Amino acid sequence: MKKNGKTPAGTQRWRCINCNASTSFKRPDTTERNVLVGFINWLLSKHSQAEHAATSARTFRRTTQWCWDVYPFLNQTGEVFDEIQVDGIYLRPGWCLLIAIADGKVIGWQWCDHEKSEAWLELLKHFPQPKVVVTDGGSGLLKALKTLWPGVEVQRCLVHIQRTVRTYLTKNPRTEAGRSLRQLSLQLTKIKDQEEAARWAAALANWQAQYQYLLDERTYAKDWTGPWPRGISRSRKSWPTHERLIKAYNAMSKVLKRGHLFTFLKSELTGLGISATTNMIEGAINSGIREMTRLHRGMPIEHRRRACEWFCWSHADENDRAKLPLLIKESRKVLKELEAKKAPAEELVGPELYGTASVAEEGLYARSGWGGRSR
């Protein structure tokens, strides 16, 4: 066969070089791939269904309905990375998406109900141990790293530490101790070498020595006369007077004691370009997912999950993405396996105890004539 022009509809026509018979072939696989490409392009765009499709929005939904059942995934290459950044994003309570990136590209994701060690293990077990893991301090991650990668270095996001301190102290603390501690937190992202880091650690130690009396001060319930503090149980006999100041101090001191505050400055990691923040995953991936779900708001939770997976797939390295025909094939295989596992309905044995059929004994049988009267 050789090409022989096109039909009025634009389909390629073929002609046999022996008998001159002319025909055209349909390629369902090519059609499905093109429909899926259009579906992904719509998800990643800011256009509505009617604006994106050449037809009506209803036709677009009917044509792409099967695309929601295609599950994107990545090919695990086993590449060793110097740095892996991880973070979790919540769609709603009970649905959290854990994401891992390296060199600005998504390398994996995992769904869970909240950030726990089991979910982190399920995500990270597919990758070889990197040199550094950059995190915002999500719960369960440190436990998972000790189990899976006991020798990996950890860098806490400095911007998240600043946000935590600001949450406890506000932007304008009322006390001198709070203002000085707030200024120390703002200096974190300006530190560029180990000497500056050592001076900052010494300044934090000096602050602790100067205001230790505030950290130790307590309020006793028997002496309290005002409204009962929020979050304090009625059974408590005493509590820290400056609890928010203590929490702000611990947000920095505990990370410093663990050695996770200035990992990016270690001499053995010089020249690798290790990040001190998770801005790369927060700004490129998480913010993009939030914007996508906002633009296409109204989707049910299952569609939102699939949209997030397609967003991660599209922001992965092109060589790591599974090809669209393979995704379609594997998803249909999974659907067939799920349908096969469904147990057939049990057949009732014996007389029917309760039913809705019309029976003559109850006068509920077909009659002729007006009002059921016989003629």
Side-chain angles (χ1 to χ4, degrees):
M1 305 288 286
K2 64 180 296 185
K3 290 183 178 180
N4 187 32
K6 294 186 178 181
T7 64
T11 306
Q12 182 66 53
R13 184 186 290 114
W14 299 86
R15 180 176 63 84
C16 178
I17 59 177
N18 296 322
C19 65
N20 287 330
S22 180
T23 184
S24 61
F25 296 98
K26 291 184 177 181
R27 292 287 304 274
D29 56 337
T30 303
T31 303
E32 289 179 341
R33 183 192 62 194
N34 294 337
V35 171
L36 185 57
V37 169
F39 171 78
I40 298 172
N41 291 338
W42 165 72
L43 276 180
L44 302 180
S45 71
K46 59 177 65 175
H47 301 130
S48 65
Q49 295 174 346
E51 293 172 343
H52 179 79
T55 56
S56 64
R58 181 176 294 180
T59 302
F60 177 82
R61 289 192 294 271
R62 184 180 67 251
T63 305
T64 60
Q65 180 61 35
W66 61 272
C67 297
W68 294 109
D69 296 327
V70 180
Y71 299 82
F73 59 86
L74 302 178
N75 299 319
Q76 302 301 332
T77 61
E79 181 180 356
V80 180
F81 301 101
D82 293 330
E83 171 193 331
I84 290 181
Q85 292 189 18
V86 293
D87 195 14
I89 178 173
Y90 286 85
L91 294 186
R92 72 175 191 185
W95 287 106
C96 177
L97 179 61
L98 307 180
I99 305 174
I101 71 168
D103 300 328
K105 300 292 184 180
V106 175
I107 59 175
W109 62 84
Q110 175 66 39
W111 287 104
C112 60
D113 53 354
H114 63 274
E115 299 181 54
K116 53 187 178 182
S117 58
E118 294 82 1
W120 285 116
L121 284 172
E122 190 65 26
L123 170 64
L124 300 177
K125 69 180 184 180
H126 302 288
F127 318 122
Q129 178 175 326
K131 294 183 179 179
V132 181
V133 173
V134 185
T135 173
D136 62 354
S139 59
L141 178 61
L142 293 181
K143 180 180 178 181
L145 292 179
K146 288 181 181 178
T147 303
L148 185 64
W149 301 331
V152 71
E153 298 281 359
V154 178
Q155 170 64 51
R156 278 289 301 275
C157 176
L158 301 183
V159 172
H160 278 82
I161 294 178
Q162 289 178 337
R163 293 175 184 172
T164 302
V165 174
R166 184 183 62 189
T167 300
Y168 292 131
L169 299 180
T170 72
K171 290 184 178 180
N172 298 301
R174 291 181 293 178
T175 63
E176 179 61 31
R179 287 192 290 268
S180 58
L181 189 62
R182 165 87 169 142
Q183 289 300 318
L184 280 175
S185 70
L186 295 178
Q187 295 173 11
L188 278 174
T189 52
K190 301 177 183 179
I191 296 174
K192 303 301 180 183
D193 54 47
Q194 292 185 355
E195 293 183 2
E196 294 180 357
R199 287 196 295 268
W200 184 92
L204 183 64
N206 292 334
W207 182 95
Q208 187 266 340
Q210 182 179 357
Y211 297 104
Q212 182 64 46
Y213 71 96
L214 293 178
L215 303 180
D216 296 336
E217 187 175 344
R218 300 188 68 83
T219 300
Y220 292 88
K222 62 181 181 179
D223 302 328
W224 183 258
T225 57
W228 200 260
R230 184 186 303 176
I232 302 297
S233 174
R234 290 281 181 173
S235 61
R236 295 275 298 272
K237 295 183 178 180
S238 66
W239 56 86
T241 303
H242 306 284
E243 185 176 10
R244 299 178 71 86
L245 184 68
I246 295 174
K247 290 182 177 180
Y249 169 73
N250 289 337
M252 295 184 287
S253 63
K254 288 184 177 181
V255 180
L256 180 63
K257 291 177 181 178
R258 291 173 181 168
H260 298 169
L261 199 59
F262 301 117
T263 303
F264 71 104
L265 296 176
K266 289 188 175 182
S267 57
E268 59 268 25
L269 301 176
T270 303
L272 298 180
I274 303 300
S275 302
T277 67
T278 57
N279 290 348
M280 189 177 298
I281 190 171
E282 288 278 357
I285 308 301
N286 290 359
S287 62
I289 290 177
R290 293 189 181 97
E291 179 68 7
M292 178 186 63
T293 54
R294 185 191 68 83
L295 291 172
H296 303 306
R297 55 190 175 275
M299 293 187 295
I301 185 62
E302 286 298 328
H303 287 188
R304 272 182 284 169
R305 288 181 56 194
R306 195 70 63 246
C308 293
E309 292 170 359
W310 279 118
F311 186 93
C312 293
W313 179 88
S314 64
H315 285 74
D317 190 88
E318 188 174 357
N319 297 326
D320 296 342
R321 302 179 200 166
K323 303 303 179 183
L324 294 181
L326 177 61
L327 294 177
I328 296 173
K329 180 180 178 181
E330 292 296 325
S331 298
R332 287 182 174 171
K333 184 188 299 183
V334 171
L335 290 176
K336 288 182 179 179
E337 293 176 353
L338 292 177
E339 291 177 358
K341 290 181 180 179
K342 291 182 179 179
E346 296 182 1
E347 297 183 1
L348 297 177
V349 179
E352 185 179 21
L353 299 179
Y354 299 96
T356 58
S358 299
V359 293
E361 289 78 3
E362 298 179 358
L364 302 175
Y365 52 88
R367 301 177 182 179
S368 61
W370 178 83
R373 297 185 181 92
S374 301
R375 291 179 181 178

